[in-house]
Each structure stands twice: as structure tokens, then as C-alpha cells.
Amino acid sequence: MDQPNGDPSNTKSSSTQTHDLICEDWQYSGANATGAGRKWKECIECESSSSRFDLPSGENDVYWFLFNIKFTVDWCIFGYPSNPDTTAASTTCGDACNNLKPMTTYQLLQTDMSLQYSYCRYGNGSFLADVANCTKCLANVPGAQVLSNYLHAMSDGCQQQPGNGTALKLDFDLFNTTSPLTTKTTSTTSPASTSTVMPTSASASTTTQPTRSNTSVKIGAGVGVPLGVVLAALVFGLLMLRSRRNRRPEPAEIDDTKGLPPPVPPEPMSEMGVGTKNLSRPHDKAVEVGNGDPRHELSI
């Protein structure tokens, strides 16, 4: 912001001047950090992850992020447009970085959203081919690690070229000064693993070999469950049988006289000791035939 009470949402409230540009790592943070360095760091970090843009004009934070780091590279390495001071970066890596100067300075001071990725297209798109030598050289210069990181971010800008409403995705700490390109995440997923198509459940069952632990689980489930059911059934049967035996009632005393017919009084005995009871067969009956002689007729 040009003024302390400026409106951050107003694109006219801020501008980048050469006195805002920071060339040395120590100015961004630490005990010797400058106010200008801390302010610049805060601004660049905000723009680097912002997706904000102005709908009528197309002005966006990705454009200003790339503009600001390009301007810093041009000022600190190439002295463009009129830096009177020399830096360790310019004296040490001038030869390694000179091929980039026509690309990064091309129409730099023109505020035109259509020029957002012009440095990527300049010279038949040779920026990505030439940037590696400069980036590597700056990474080995004390105090120039952030400048090296800026060039890496510009490479990501060429590769991604996000449109309005989409932020640039950086996978490293832009202001890291201890080691080159420290990533923000600790993921160890390789590119090959992220593009691998996982097989469906049907194909996986025919191609995937079970591990030793999986095999043990399957055996325990296939044999242990039926065996447990059988043992439980046997124990339950024995308990039921024992329970029934314990509940069996004691035999009651039987009344010999209950349900029997009353005793029949003895018939008077004849002189021969034989009673007058009819001794014929139960189904035989006496009939008189003709002259009244008794005869026996067998009942059918």
C-alpha cells in the first residue's frame, strides 16, 4: 500500500517502486530484517496464494505477483532499469543469467494483463530451457537464495498459467533461505503412484495375492466359526438333557384297588365242586330246534 490508510481492494491504492525491491535475503527476516523487507515479504506471500481478480478489467493478483518478482530479478541481477548498485547476484551469476534478460525485461513496465505470461512466450518459449542455469547459480550465492526461488516460481507460472480466479500453486517455501526449494508438504507420493489406475474389485480379486496376515484371517473365519457352532450345540444339548433328568418326577404310590371292579362273591359250590356258571363259549347260545331239544349254534 502506498499510504497507511489505503484500501487493499482498490487496485490504484498501491504501486511498486524501485525502493520497494529487496535484493538480499537477510532483509526479509531475522534480527537484522528491515521494515521494507518485512513489508515486501508479507505482500509477496499474499499475492502468491491469491486468486482474486477484478472482473471488469481482468486485473488479478497472479499478474502482480509475477510482475513483482520479475521486477526484483531484473533490478537485482541485471540492474534494470537503472539500479546504480551492484549485488553479489549480479557479479557472480551475470553470465549464467544473461540469456534471461530479454525475456524478463520485455514490456515489463507496461501494465497490461495480456502480457501476464509474455516472458514465457518470448524467444520461442526458451525461458524454461534457459532458467535452470541461472537458478542453480543463484542458489549457491550467499544472500541470493530468495532470488533463485523467484525464478523457480516464474517457471511454475509458465507451466501452470492459471486464469482469472485461480491461484498459482507453489509446492515450496518462497522465502526459504536455508536450503534450496524446501517443499511445503511432507508427502512422499511419487508421480507414478498418483497416475496409477487402481483395478476394480473384480480384477483385484483375481490378480492380488493375499498377504500372510490376510490368509490367517480367512482360515480363522472359515474353520473356527463352524467348529464353534458345533461345540456350542453339543454343550447346549448336554445341559438340556441334564436339566430334564433333574426335573423328572418321583413315581407315585399305586393304589392296587383303584380302578378295579368290586370283588364277586363266591358262588355256592355243588356237590361235585363245580359252580352253575355257564361254561359254554361266549358267542354260543342255546336254541330249541323242532322238538324242543336243545342244540348249540355257533354265532358267526
Side-chain angles (χ1 to χ4, degrees):
M1 305 296 301
D2 294 338
Q3 300 297 328
N5 59 347
D7 181 7
S9 61
N10 186 347
T11 59
K12 296 181 180 180
S13 296
S14 63
S15 60
T16 302
Q17 305 296 327
T18 56
H19 63 261
D20 297 322
L21 306 177
I22 305 300
C23 297
E24 300 286 343
D25 294 348
W26 61 268
Q27 295 178 276
Y28 293 115
S29 59
N32 298 322
T34 63
R38 285 191 293 265
K39 179 182 178 182
W40 182 261
K41 178 176 181 289
E42 181 180 355
C43 176
I44 295 300
E45 284 181 332
C46 179
E47 291 176 339
S48 68
S49 59
S50 175
S51 59
R52 301 231 7 211
F53 72 100
D54 181 66
L55 187 59
S57 64
E59 189 173 356
N60 61 86
D61 281 345
V62 175
Y63 171 89
W64 286 115
F65 168 69
L66 293 174
F67 169 82
N68 285 329
I69 62 176
K70 277 191 301 179
F71 200 177
T72 304
V73 166
D74 289 339
W75 179 260
C76 297
I77 300 176
F78 306 123
Y80 181 87
S82 57
N83 185 4
D85 301 324
T86 58
T87 63
S90 62
T91 57
T92 306
C93 300
D95 292 339
C97 299
N98 275 337
N99 287 343
L100 299 178
K101 184 176 179 180
M103 309 170 201
T104 58
T105 59
Y106 175 68
Q107 295 182 321
L108 175 67
L109 302 181
Q110 296 184 26
T111 304
D112 186 345
M113 298 301 114
S114 65
L115 301 175
Q116 184 163 337
Y117 303 111
S118 61
Y119 71 96
C120 305
R121 299 186 295 266
Y122 186 91
N124 296 323
S126 60
F127 177 83
L128 291 176
D130 294 333
V131 72
N133 290 335
C134 183
T135 301
K136 184 177 179 181
C137 179
L138 292 171
N140 294 317
V141 176
Q145 178 63 58
V146 173
L147 290 175
S148 176
N149 295 345
Y150 283 173
L151 287 173
H152 188 76
M154 292 169 63
S155 298
D156 287 349
C158 289
Q159 293 172 357
Q160 297 176 27
Q161 297 194 20
N164 287 341
T166 303
L168 186 64
K169 297 179 181 179
L170 303 179
D171 61 352
F172 60 95
D173 184 356
L174 193 62
F175 287 92
N176 169 65
T177 60
T178 57
S179 60
L181 303 181
T182 301
T183 58
K184 294 180 180 179
T185 62
T186 57
S187 174
T188 57
T189 303
S190 63
S193 63
T194 59
S195 61
T196 301
V197 179
M198 298 302 294
T200 62
S201 58
S203 62
S205 63
T206 59
T207 59
T208 303
Q209 297 297 326
T211 62
R212 190 171 187 177
S213 59
N214 290 339
T215 305
S216 299
V217 171
K218 291 179 181 179
I219 292 176
V223 176
V225 172
L227 181 58
V229 173
V230 172
L231 290 176
L234 290 176
V235 172
F236 181 79
L238 291 174
L239 292 175
M240 291 298 296
L241 180 60
R242 184 175 181 180
S243 176
R244 289 182 180 178
R245 287 181 177 178
N246 292 337
R247 292 197 303 267
R248 181 175 295 175
E250 295 294 333
E253 293 184 1
I254 300 176
D255 187 358
D256 294 338
T257 62
K258 186 177 181 180
L260 297 178
V264 180
E267 296 182 2
M269 301 296 291
S270 64
E271 296 179 353
M272 297 181 63
V274 180
T276 59
K277 185 177 180 180
N278 186 6
L279 300 179
S280 63
R281 290 178 300 175
H283 298 289
D284 290 348
K285 63 181 179 177
V287 297
E288 290 185 357
V289 180
N291 56 6
D293 293 334
R295 294 183 182 179
H296 290 85
E297 181 181 41
L298 180 64
S299 299
I300 301 174

